[in-house]
């Protein structure tokens, strides 16, 4: 099971890297395998586009300062459940509530980690 600590900036053993959570629609009879395949393809596509569009990203990747992006598919409705939790916890109107681009709050990170689609 993944923990919030696993997503912190790199340690001695791991290179810092981008982590993206995406909600994918299953489109065949084996949705978990399909999501694993899509997540891997998205990771490669994201990396290629970032290298092409952002020279600083390309430099960081070429010098191994930044590792390959990891994309985790989340269950359908995972972001809605995260938003609902934020709405209840922070007591703001839904129109003012935005999902963070960078999750630094360990509680929110734990919620989205629990939404990760597992494929073994």
């Amino acid at each position: 099971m993944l923990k919030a600590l696993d997503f912190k900036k790199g340690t001695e053993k791991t290179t810092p890297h981008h982590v993206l959570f995406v909600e994918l629609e299953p489109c065949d009879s084996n949705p978990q395998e399909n999501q694993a395949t899509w997540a891997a393809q998205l990771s490669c596509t994201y990396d290629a586009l970032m290298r092409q569009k952002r020279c600083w990203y390309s430099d960081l990747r070429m010098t191994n300062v930044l590792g390959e992006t990891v994309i985790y598919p989340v269950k359908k409705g995972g972001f809605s459940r995260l938003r609902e939790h934020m709405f209840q916890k922070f007591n703001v109107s839904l129109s003012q509530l935005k999902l963070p681009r960078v999750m630094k709050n360990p509680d929110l990170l734990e919620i989205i980690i629990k939404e990760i689609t597992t494929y073994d």
Side-chain angles (χ1 to χ4, degrees):
M1 175 66 166
L2 294 169
K3 295 186 168 102
L5 294 175
D6 296 337
F7 290 97
K8 295 242 182 203
K9 248 182 178 175
T11 64
E12 305 81 52
K13 297 179 184 176
T14 62
T15 304
H17 57 280
H18 292 164
V19 176
L20 304 176
F21 298 95
V22 295
E23 189 172 317
L24 302 170
E25 289 286 329
C27 59
D28 66 11
S29 60
N30 192 347
Q32 290 182 337
E33 183 177 316
N34 181 276
Q35 287 188 353
T37 302
W38 271 100
Q41 290 173 350
L42 282 173
S43 180
C44 291
T45 301
Y46 174 86
D47 188 63
L49 287 172
M50 286 294 288
R51 285 177 187 246
Q52 184 181 49
K53 299 289 183 182
R54 304 286 186 244
C55 60
W56 56 266
Y57 179 87
S58 183
D59 290 344
L60 293 174
R61 289 285 289 123
M62 288 174 56
T63 57
N64 291 324
V65 172
L66 185 65
E68 186 175 338
T69 299
V70 178
I71 295 183
Y72 292 102
V74 297
K75 299 170 193 163
K76 186 174 182 177
F79 289 107
S80 295
R81 287 185 286 280
L82 176 63
R83 188 177 171 98
E84 182 63 32
H85 173 81
M86 290 173 66
F87 173 68
Q88 292 172 0
K89 183 174 181 174
F90 301 125
N91 200 20
V92 296
S93 72
L94 283 174
S95 63
Q96 294 177 322
L97 187 63
K98 287 179 142 180
L99 291 175
R101 288 185 323 147
V102 177
M103 279 196 211
K104 296 181 180 181
N105 182 322
D107 294 334
L108 298 180
L109 193 53
E110 283 293 336
I111 290 168
I112 202 67
I113 289 170
K114 289 178 184 172
E115 296 292 336
I116 292 174
T117 302
T118 57
Y119 34 84
D120 298 322

